[in-house]
């Protein structure tokens, strides 16, 4: 995980991003997306710095950052679990899976495990309704889950960490 | 080209999730260097429940195989190229022989999905081979007013939910003063349970671009934006490929087809907010602001993106347009009933056997769609209702399933046509829980601008949560109905205006379920965890200890070969014990 205090490299990386956004219109979302791509999340110092450099109120950038679910002000774990909470998954029992994952990982929705391995997110719909219930771990979709099958999938990722 | 055999692999998100990528790889190595064999990447044909899918085409005859693993792919190649062995056990549909899903496909009419699953979405040549961009060429030879008149005569209405006549919207935008105008494609597809637009974008992105270019010519716009949700990375990538190819081939960009008309498109990724599907919020989001809706009028046709006249249409709406230009308004209007013409694509999911993407003529009765095409509910289950229109829609009960799918008839039931999400519910679905689910969603997605939407949905959700916990009172039902009206009346945009629909329709058709939760503290579908108990039948239990070892919270105790018991206080109702019991001794009860 990255430290909260920016290094000189961090500052240079941010300056490179900001240089692309001088006096463009409608830049808040792509700008924040770029910053998040660079640091894995939106470090508050970077958002403040961006607001200063582009002469925008910081409240405007933070307002956008907290409006959209894509943006996060905290770093993510190594693996991101996106459990689908769409309608088809819900009637297929995804609430039970949500409860089981929270229990097993010991975290609430949106949080990261203490070892930094998993971040648990609930998302509105992954659009893979015919495989319900589904979850996405990093880029991979796992379908037709039950609570214990979901746990097994995560065990697979945990084991891979052991190998690495 | 004599006797070429084409192998197509469904590589949309759902196919990839089911494992079609390794199938594609295996076919790629098997077919490499074999003359007369061609491997093609394709989008979704809609039979999602049979994924991974491989289609073989030879001399116009087609064979579609389902549940294909790399090993099955080898058998398919052996059979079709060398006549060795058989693969009939995996055949799901065919144009030349009997197959289980032929009937499912025969009931559909494919206008929007005309190319999905048939072409490689990453190759413009494939699109051109199927008549792609001839509609644009034709449109550019017509006067803009003639194009608009054609779309008006077809009866096409917006497929994004509200059903506004598309031709009329174009006419308003054309008439609005100003030289700078925009065409915006709404690809936000936020309704949970809907994946029609994703499938079109992943399977046939050029059809959307062509529709947008025709709209641009019709209204006099020079720039287009596709607002696509970030949860659809594959759709975004394929759109970008398609845009680059269309520019290269001269269908987008400056001086299109030498006519002097210029129009270019770029993709803007959403950032995850349901309300951004609402048109004015969407425009705010493109402009880089918080996606908060604003009052209309002025409508986007007058004051849209950057304050300029703007046409906003849904993905499916645009995908219809080239077909209408080529085949004519009459051919389109020939499908459908009343004021609903053409077809509608639905994402069929939930408690239905054959979930997937279906396209049917407007006017088909829901029953035919769910039973005839979807194959009904699972063995031993009873169909209870169908949810249409997602969080803005409602639940249509089984006795009303003869309702035809057209805008007005669906609205009369209290649901809405919506964008095409169709979730089937059976006797294991609790209607109070479904209402609570949607309220939880809309309450979380309310942008917070209107107090009735922000606070009213919260109060409604609290009441519903109370009821599902068995702590409700009969007066709560009146409170819900009253709040519903206030939230509807006191909200600026469609989110709040429709958020109460799931509650109102379930109250109207399934009041008995609400009453069972309140009066008898009982959940008839045995879903609401506070109202169910797991129990081990002492007569049946053989003391195998499997359930005790499965229980994640140690709520089950008992010695080996002795009857086990569940500690109801400790039990978290996760439901994991019942399926592992070899003698089915564990039951769920609601008093
Ligand atoms: C809360 C809310 C969410 C919406 N989400 C979408 C959406 O995801 N996709 C869409 O095409 N239209 C959506 N709409 C409808 C749009 O506001 C607009 O009516 C539509 O894009 C117009 O295109 P059409 O006439 O082709 O349907 C939504 C409306 C509301 C109120």
């Amino acid at each position: 995980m990255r430290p909260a205090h920016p290094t000189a490299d961090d500052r240079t990386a941010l300056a490179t991003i900001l240089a692309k956004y001088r006096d463009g219109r409608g830049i808040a979302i792509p700008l924040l997306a770029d910053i998040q791509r660079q640091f894995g999340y939106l470090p508050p110092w970077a958002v403040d710095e961006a607001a200063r450099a582009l002469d925008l109120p910081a409240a405007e950038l933070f307002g956008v950052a907290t409006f959209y679910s894509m943006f996060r002000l905290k770093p993510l774990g190594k693996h991101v679990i996106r459990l689908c909470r769409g309608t088809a998954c819900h009637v297929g029992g995804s609430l039970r899976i949500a409860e089981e994952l929270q229990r097993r990982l010991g975290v609430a929705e949106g949080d990261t495990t203490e070892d930094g391995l998993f971040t648990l997110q609930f998302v509105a719909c992954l659009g893979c309704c015919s495989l319900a219930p589904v979850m996405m771990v990093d880029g991979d979709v796992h379908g037709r889950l039950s609570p214990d099958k979901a746990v097994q999938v995560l065990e697979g990722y945990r084991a891979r960490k052991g190998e690495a | 080209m004599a006797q070429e055999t084409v192998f197509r692999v469904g590589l949309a998100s759902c196919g990839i999730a089911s494992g079609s990528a390794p199938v594609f790889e295996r076919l790629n190595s098997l077919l490499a260097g074999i003359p007369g064999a061609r491997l093609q990447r394709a989008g979704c044909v809609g039979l999602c429940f049979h994924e991974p899918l491989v289609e073989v085409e030879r001399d116009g005859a087609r064979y579609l195989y389902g549940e294909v693993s790399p090993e099955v792919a080898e058998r398919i190649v052996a059979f079709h190229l060398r006549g060795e062995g058989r693969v009939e056990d995996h055949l799901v549909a065919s144009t030349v022989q009997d197959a289980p899903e032929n009937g499912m496909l025969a009931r559909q009419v494919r206008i929007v999905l005309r190319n999905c699953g048939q072409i490689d979405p990453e190759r413009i040549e494939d699109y051109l081979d199927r008549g792609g961009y001839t509609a644009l060429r034709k449109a550019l030879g017509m006067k803009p007013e003639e194009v608009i008149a054609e779309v008006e005569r077809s009866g096409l209405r917006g497929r994004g939910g509200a059903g506004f006549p598309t031709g009329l919207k174009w006419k308003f935008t054309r008439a609005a003063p100003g030289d700078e105008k925009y065409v915006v494609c709404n690809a936000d597809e936020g309704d949970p349970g809907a994946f029609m637009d994703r499938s079109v974008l992943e399977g046939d992105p050029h059809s959307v671009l062509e529709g947008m270019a025709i709209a641009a010519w019709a209204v006099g716009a020079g720039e287009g934006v596709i607002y696509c949700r970030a949860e659809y990375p594959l759709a975004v990538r394929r759109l970008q490929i398609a845009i680059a190819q269309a520019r290269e081939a001269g269908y987008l960009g400056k001086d299109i087809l030498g006519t002097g008309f210029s129009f270019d498109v770029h993709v803007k990724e959403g950032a995850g907010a349901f309300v951004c599907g609402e048109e004015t919020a969407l425009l705010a989001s493109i402009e880089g602001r918080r996606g908060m809706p604003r009052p209309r009028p002025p409508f986007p046709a007058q004051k849209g993106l950057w304050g300029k006249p703007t046409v906003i249409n849904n993905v499916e709406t645009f995908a219809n347009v080239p077909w209408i230009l080529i085949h004519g308004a009459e051919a389109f209007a020939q499908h459908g009933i009343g004021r609903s013409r053409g077809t509608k694509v639905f994402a069929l999911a939930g408690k239905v056997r054959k979930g997937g993407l279906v396209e049917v003529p407007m006017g088909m009765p829901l029953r035919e769609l769910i039973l005839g095409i979807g194959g009904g509910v699972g063995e031993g289950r009873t169909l209870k209702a169908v949810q249409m229109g997602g969080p803005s829609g409602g639940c249509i009960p089984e006795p009303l399933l003869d309702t035809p799918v057209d805008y007005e008839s669906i609205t009369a039931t209290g649901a809405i046509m919506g964008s095409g999400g169709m979730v089937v519910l059976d006797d294991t679905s609790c209607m109070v829980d479904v209402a609570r689910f949607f309220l939880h969603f809309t309450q979380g997605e309310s942008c917070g601008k209107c107090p009735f939407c922000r606070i009213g949905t919260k109060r409604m959700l609290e009441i519903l949560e109370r009821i599902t916990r068995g702590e409700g009172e009969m007066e709560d039902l009146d409170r819900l109905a009253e709040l519903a009206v206030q939230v509807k009346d006191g909200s600026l945009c469609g989110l709040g205006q429709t958020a109460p629909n799931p509650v109102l329709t379930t109250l109207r058709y399934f009041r008995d379920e609400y009453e069972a939760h309140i009066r008898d503290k009982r959940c008839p579908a045995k879903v609401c965890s506070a109202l169910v108990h797991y129990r081990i039948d002492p007569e049946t239990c053989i003391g195998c200890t499997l359930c005790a070892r499965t229980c994640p919270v140690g709520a089950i105790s008992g010695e080996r070969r002795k009857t086990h018991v569940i500690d109801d206080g400790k039990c978290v109702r996760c439901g994991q014990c019942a399926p592992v019991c070899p003698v089915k001794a564990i039951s769920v009860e609601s008093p």
Side-chain angles (χ1 to χ4, degrees):
Chain A
M1 247 176 264
R2 285 179 170 271
H5 295 290
T7 63
D9 282 354
D10 287 343
R11 290 192 183 282
T12 317
L14 180 66
T16 315
I17 293 172
L18 292 178
K20 287 199 307 189
Y21 289 99
R22 304 275 167 208
D23 49 58
R25 59 178 186 177
I27 57 171
I29 294 174
L31 165 70
L32 292 172
D34 265 359
I35 298 178
Q36 181 159 291
R37 208 166 294 132
Q38 174 68 32
F39 298 103
Y41 71 111
L42 294 175
W45 69 266
V47 180
D48 275 332
E49 177 67 36
R52 243 190 322 272
L54 300 174
D55 202 18
L56 294 168
E60 193 175 314
L61 287 185
F62 278 106
V64 170
T66 52
F67 186 83
Y68 296 102
S69 62
M70 184 176 104
F71 297 118
R72 44 188 183 267
L73 299 165
K74 284 188 286 186
L76 289 179
K78 182 155 182 262
H79 300 294
V80 180
I81 306 162
R82 293 191 175 85
L83 179 72
C84 181
R85 291 288 289 126
T87 320
C89 289
H90 179 74
V91 299
S94 69
L95 186 59
R96 302 267 180 280
I97 300 173
E99 288 167 356
E100 180 69 9
L101 292 184
Q102 295 184 73
R103 202 157 38 231
R104 290 288 178 118
L105 297 172
V107 294
E109 172 190 3
D111 287 345
T112 302
T113 53
E114 234 161 63
D115 58 5
L117 197 56
F118 294 110
T119 298
L120 180 63
Q121 298 180 341
F122 297 165
V123 297
C125 185
L126 292 170
C128 294
C129 309
S130 48
L131 302 174
V134 300
M135 69 178 177
M136 196 154 128
V137 183
D138 305 331
D140 296 324
V141 176
H142 303 268
R144 303 202 171 96
L145 295 173
S146 60
D148 63 323
K149 212 174 137 191
V151 171
Q152 279 168 26
V153 168
L154 297 190
E155 290 306 326
Y157 284 85
R158 202 186 288 281
R160 243 174 277 171
K161 172 204 165 200
E163 285 161 25
Chain B
M1 226 181 299
Q3 302 268 312
E4 185 182 54
T5 310
V6 182
F7 295 79
R8 285 190 196 98
V9 184
L11 285 169
S13 291
C14 44
I16 293 174
S18 320
S20 60
V23 171
F24 185 83
E25 287 314 314
R26 182 69 62 96
L27 284 173
N28 201 13
S29 59
L30 286 171
L31 299 176
I34 297 187
R38 183 156 67 91
L39 180 61
Q40 200 181 30
R41 180 196 317 267
C44 176
V45 271
L47 297 169
C48 305
F49 62 105
H50 279 309
E51 292 276 9
L53 290 163
V54 172
E55 186 177 62
V56 181
E57 181 175 354
R58 189 183 171 85
D59 292 338
R62 289 157 176 259
Y63 309 82
L64 185 66
Y65 296 96
E67 285 93 15
V68 178
S69 61
E71 292 69 42
V72 175
E74 288 198 8
R75 286 168 53 201
I76 294 173
V77 170
F79 176 72
H80 281 280
L81 291 187
R82 299 192 292 277
E84 292 166 8
R86 313 187 75 108
V87 264
E88 269 161 9
D89 49 330
H90 283 270
L91 189 71
V92 293
S94 171
T95 53
V96 288
Q97 77 189 69
D98 270 353
E101 312 304 349
N102 283 355
M104 178 181 177
L105 293 174
R107 286 186 166 86
Q108 302 190 40
V109 173
R110 300 214 159 202
I111 292 178
V112 174
L113 301 178
R114 58 195 179 276
N115 295 324
C116 279
Q118 311 295 320
I119 64 170
D120 180 342
E122 298 183 13
R123 278 169 44 96
I124 192 172
E125 297 82 1
D126 282 23
Y127 184 66
L128 295 173
D129 279 348
R130 308 229 343 153
Y133 290 108
T134 48
L136 176 60
R137 197 179 290 273
K138 184 169 173 189
L140 293 177
M142 294 160 70
K143 288 210 191 81
E145 291 77 9
E146 291 170 348
V147 174
I148 294 176
E150 188 76 10
V151 173
E152 267 197 298
R153 278 197 299 124
S154 75
L156 176 65
R157 292 167 69 179
R159 302 297 194 233
F164 192 83
T166 305
L168 200 57
K169 191 183 269 189
W170 293 12
K171 202 188 241 174
F172 290 151
T173 314
R174 171 144 200 97
D179 304 329
E180 197 185 335
K181 295 181 187 178
Y182 293 93
V183 173
V184 172
C185 173
N186 189 340
D188 199 41
E189 195 158 62
D191 282 3
F195 53 92
M196 308 75 49
D197 295 347
R198 172 178 69 70
S199 303
V200 172
L201 295 170
E202 289 180 355
D204 192 15
H206 284 286
S207 67
V208 180
L209 297 180
E210 188 176 4
M212 288 178 75
I214 294 169
W217 171 247
V219 305
E223 199 180 323
V225 181
I226 303 174
Y227 186 88
C228 186
R229 68 193 297 234
E231 287 87 342
Y232 289 172
L234 186 61
V236 171
R237 197 167 61 86
R238 292 202 172 143
L239 273 172
Q240 264 148 359
I241 294 172
I243 290 170
Q245 291 172 342
R247 267 186 210 137
E248 173 89 31
Y251 299 111
L252 286 179
K254 289 216 162 28
D255 189 20
I256 294 173
L257 299 172
T259 56
F261 167 65
S262 298
F263 176 69
D264 209 346
V265 176
H266 64 271
V267 180
K268 199 96 183 177
E269 279 184 61
F274 171 67
V275 73
C276 287
E278 195 279 335
E279 54 190 24
T280 61
L282 185 149
L283 295 174
S285 183
I286 294 180
E287 292 173 3
R289 292 180 283 125
R290 287 165 72 100
M292 312 264 257
R294 62 158 176 80
R296 297 171 304 179
F299 288 92
Q302 279 99 38
K303 255 180 177 324
L305 191 57
W306 310 114
K308 308 292 180 198
T310 301
V311 157
I312 302 187
N313 278 127
N314 163 264
V315 170
E316 189 181 331
T317 313
F318 281 125
N320 272 301
V321 169
W323 195 96
I324 292 171
L325 266 277
I326 292 179
H327 299 268
E330 287 70 28
F332 185 82
Q334 174 206 321
H335 300 288
I337 54 169
R339 292 179 49 228
S340 305
R341 314 310 312 191
T343 60
K344 180 76 196 84
V345 182
F346 291 101
L348 195 56
K351 306 289 177 118
V352 65
R353 276 186 220 212
K354 305 177 181 179
L357 205 63
V358 301
E359 180 172 1
V360 299
M362 294 270 193
M364 178 183 276
L366 283 168
R367 198 180 298 281
E368 188 178 341
L369 212 166
I370 294 165
L371 300 182
I373 296 180
V377 293
E379 189 77 45
R381 301 263 68 102
T382 47
L383 178 57
K384 192 190 262 187
V386 59
Q387 208 286 337
M388 279 182 77
S392 314
C395 293
I396 304 176
E398 196 276 340
L400 291 186
L401 288 191
D402 294 316
T403 306
V405 281
D406 69 72
Y407 292 95
E408 282 70 30
S409 306
I410 300 290
T411 305
T413 67
I416 60 164
M417 175 77 94
S419 59
M422 193 179 264
V423 180
V424 177
L425 305 168
D426 68 11
D427 55 326
T428 63
S429 317
C430 168
M431 304 312 283
V432 186
D433 174 67
V434 168
R436 185 191 58 83
F437 167 79
F438 282 117
L439 249 286
H440 177 80
F441 178 84
T442 34
Q443 189 269 323
E445 294 294 339
S446 168
C447 80
K449 185 167 184 167
C450 309
F452 273 103
C453 178
R454 182 178 71 238
I455 305 168
T457 56
K458 179 123 182 108
R459 292 288 100 84
M460 289 180 77
L461 177 62
E462 284 165 0
I463 296 175
L464 289 166
E465 283 175 341
R466 213 155 59 214
I467 296 175
T468 54
R469 280 199 309 267
E471 296 160 10
E473 323 168 339
M474 289 305 283
E475 292 73 34
D476 280 340
L477 300 185
D478 300 329
R479 274 182 212 122
L480 272 179
E482 192 185 337
L483 276 167
V485 175
Q486 292 172 346
V487 171
K488 266 176 179 285
D489 290 347
S491 300
L492 194 60
C493 89
L495 192 147
Q497 288 162 5
T498 60
N501 285 349
V503 179
L504 289 174
T505 51
T506 48
L507 265 178
R508 174 162 157 197
Y509 299 118
F510 299 96
R511 199 179 174 91
D512 54 325
E513 285 196 34
Y514 281 87
E515 291 178 356
H517 283 74
I518 296 172
R519 272 211 203 105
D520 315 334
K521 312 292 171 214
R522 184 170 67 86
C523 174
K526 298 177 186 159
V527 168
C528 296
S529 53
L531 302 180
V532 301
H533 306 278
Y534 281 77
R535 203 181 81 88
I536 300 176
D537 178 17
E539 306 292 308
T540 322
C541 175
I542 52 171
C544 73
T545 75
L546 254 179
C547 59
R549 281 183 282 146
T550 303
C551 178
V553 292
I556 307 182
S557 57
E559 286 171 38
R560 214 178 162 75
R561 289 184 222 284
K562 299 252 173 63
T563 303
H564 282 51
V565 285
I566 299 177
D567 179 343
D568 196 55
K570 266 194 192 169
C571 172
V572 293
R573 279 88 174 152
C574 71
Q576 295 186 63
C577 52
V580 300
C581 178
V583 292
K584 296 195 165 49
I586 305 180
S587 59
V588 198
E589 293 168 2
S590 190

